[in-house]
Amino acid sequence: MKLIRQITILCLAFCSFASLHAQVINTFPYFYDFENETQGSTSCTGTYTMLQAGWVNATGDGQDWTANVNGTTSGSTGPSGDHTSGTGFYMYTETSSGCNGNTAYLETPYFDFTTIAVPQLDFWYHLYGGTLGTLGVDAKIGANGTW
């Protein structure tokens, strides 16, 4: 997955107010491999609407994460396939061709961890290219908490 200077994946939201949210995950382990997604635009100005319930490209950032399969359009960057099968979908952001310096936020559904003593996040990522930046994971505690 190619990344830009400041990309943050908003991966976890601790929610004790499950009824306030349309999509709440409370059965674990939870696994999503993006195979339900469709090929998105490889342009940094394109928009992408996630098909999986609860997953959202945030508004107000510099660009969207997009689903991709079989490698990126930029030379010498990006994975040739996903981690799970090598031929499936993965989420990425373009960082070359005028896209560097943008920020892209991808938010997950709310996770209700009230029955889990020590929640854990595992994910695979690929960082390769001359114009990528940082990858961050933020957690929001409670329905009205701050990131």
Side-chain angles (χ1 to χ4, degrees), residues 39-115:
Q39 180 72 40
S41 169
T42 57
S43 165
C44 59
T45 58
T47 59
Y48 184 79
T49 301
M50 298 292 296
L51 300 179
Q52 181 70 14
W55 287 78
V56 176
N57 264 304
T59 58
D61 55 2
Q63 74 186 74
D64 280 356
W65 286 82
T66 190
N68 199 20
V69 64
N70 298 327
T72 63
T73 58
S74 304
S76 301
T77 64
S80 58
D82 72 333
H83 178 274
T84 307
S85 69
T87 60
F89 281 94
Y90 55 90
M91 298 303 294
Y92 96 109
T93 60
E94 181 60 59
T95 65
S96 56
S97 304
C99 301
N100 56 331
N102 290 344
T103 300
Y105 296 103
L106 180 62
E107 298 179 6
T108 68
Y110 284 91
F111 289 86
D112 180 353
F113 292 129
T114 56
T115 61

